[in-house]
Amino acid sequence: MTTPLMQAVKELALSAGPLIRDAFLEPDRPAYSLKGQQDYLTETDLAVEQFVREQITQRFPQDGVLGEEGGGLTDVERLWIVDPIDGTANFARNIAHFCISLGVMVQGQLEAGAIYDPMRDELFLAGRGQGAWLNGRRLQVSNISALNMASAEIGWSSRKPVDAYLNLVSRTMHTGCAVRRAGSGALGLAYVSAGRIECYAEQHINAWDVAAGLLLVTEAGGRINPFWANDGLRQGNAVLASNALLADSFSALTQISLA
Ligand code: LIP
């Protein structure tokens, strides 16, 4: 069953899709800029966030918006947590692995989330107590129970030291687990919910990268860390999302404690 909030987040994510896709396919696209080391920004990030904000303000004038590019107030009854393009580094470098991510939090609890990959036309949708879905098909995390059969994505950004990241990758690969880094935390979490990988971890990530993805993983039967603790909404936090069978093992490996 789809709730009105799931319907709203789905419609908004899908309506932003053509904006992102057309801009990506635009041959003379303006060059990107950097907000920091390896932290990319494009005009499309700004245009899509502006579009999403306008749609939310029109339809839900009472609601608040926290966006990656424009920030926003967070002490509101209902908050939309917006990443206009997650995987901007890929987008900027003509690598078709990115998405829009929208999560809706009501009184501090995630109620609905959508992640839309406009290049693959894949809509990941979840509602609290309503399950996780991909283009209308119900999702379930994988049932792989051995690390040496597993595949994990471990994200990195310049917000954390390189050695901490390399040590984590080394520890994980020494268990026989395959490690990837694809550059979009939101799609990484969506892939855990779809059973495509067993785990997504990152030593620091922001609320807009993970809001929708964390709900997808829990609604698909996976386990997550308490990302929202210690002011995760405003400061970001470490993130760990895993299938149920390997959650404790990945928690030990990543040293990120689970909820
Ligand atoms: C990105 C995340 C990725 C992280 C990057 C960046 P963006 O989000 O998806 O997991 O490693 O540093 O935060 O900037 O593409 O929205």
Side-chain angles (χ1 to χ4, degrees):
M1 192 200 62
T2 300
T3 64
L5 205 46
M6 285 170 77
Q7 192 58 31
V9 80
K10 170 183 174 180
E11 287 166 5
L12 190 46
L14 289 175
S15 67
L19 265 179
I20 303 170
R21 190 173 40 245
D22 297 350
F24 182 71
L25 298 172
E26 171 57 49
D28 313 319
R29 184 158 31 100
Y32 59 81
S33 58
L34 288 174
K35 298 186 282 185
Q37 189 205 344
Q38 298 289 346
D39 192 359
Y40 290 71
L41 175 65
T42 71
E43 291 191 359
T44 311
D45 291 89
L46 300 170
V48 173
E49 184 163 319
Q50 183 59 32
F51 168 79
V52 168
R53 282 179 185 277
E54 284 162 6
Q55 297 296 311
I56 294 169
T57 308
Q58 257 168 38
R59 290 185 65 179
F60 311 107
Q62 312 309 322
D63 292 2
V65 179
L66 172 65
E68 174 170 8
E69 309 313 340
L73 297 178
T74 54
D75 53 348
V76 290
E77 169 87 10
R78 193 162 77 176
L79 180 67
W80 292 69
I81 305 171
V82 177
D83 192 338
I85 301 181
D86 188 64
T88 302
N90 292 335
F91 181 94
R93 291 175 163 279
N94 298 321
I95 300 167
H97 186 72
F98 48 78
C99 62
I100 180 169
S101 178
L102 304 174
V104 186
M105 192 175 258
V106 179
Q107 293 173 348
Q109 179 142 46
L110 279 170
E111 288 294 339
I115 291 173
Y116 181 53
D117 174 346
M119 305 315 289
R120 295 183 183 90
D121 192 23
E122 288 193 322
L123 176 76
F124 298 87
L125 180 66
R128 190 163 67 84
Q130 308 301 323
W133 307 80
L134 169 55
N135 293 351
R137 181 175 57 80
R138 183 114 193 202
L139 293 177
Q140 190 65 44
V141 293
S142 82
N143 55 17
I144 287 186
S145 58
L147 280 173
N148 61 7
M149 295 288 294
S151 177
E153 180 168 352
I154 303 178
W156 173 83
S157 73
S158 56
R159 296 181 296 271
K160 284 294 179 180
V162 170
D163 288 342
Y165 177 76
L166 295 177
N167 291 341
L168 172 52
V169 169
S170 170
R171 283 198 306 275
T172 306
M173 291 190 74
H174 278 106
T175 69
C177 178
V179 171
R180 58 177 56 228
R181 177 180 173 251
S184 166
L187 283 177
L189 294 168
Y191 287 9
V192 173
S193 74
R196 293 175 181 175
I197 57 176
E198 279 60 56
C199 171
Y200 186 85
E202 189 156 352
Q203 291 158 324
H204 181 276
I205 198 164
N206 291 302
W208 43 80
D209 300 312
V210 299
L214 290 173
L215 185 63
L216 277 159
V217 172
T218 47
E219 287 295 322
R223 293 180 61 195
I224 60 169
N225 70 310
F227 176 87
W228 306 107
N230 307 320
D231 201 16
L233 180 61
R234 281 178 284 257
Q235 310 298 329
N237 214 333
V239 70
L240 173 62
S242 171
N243 76 357
L245 297 174
L246 285 170
D248 292 325
S249 305
F250 279 121
S251 178
L253 267 173
T254 59
Q255 294 156 4
I256 301 172
S257 55
L258 290 163

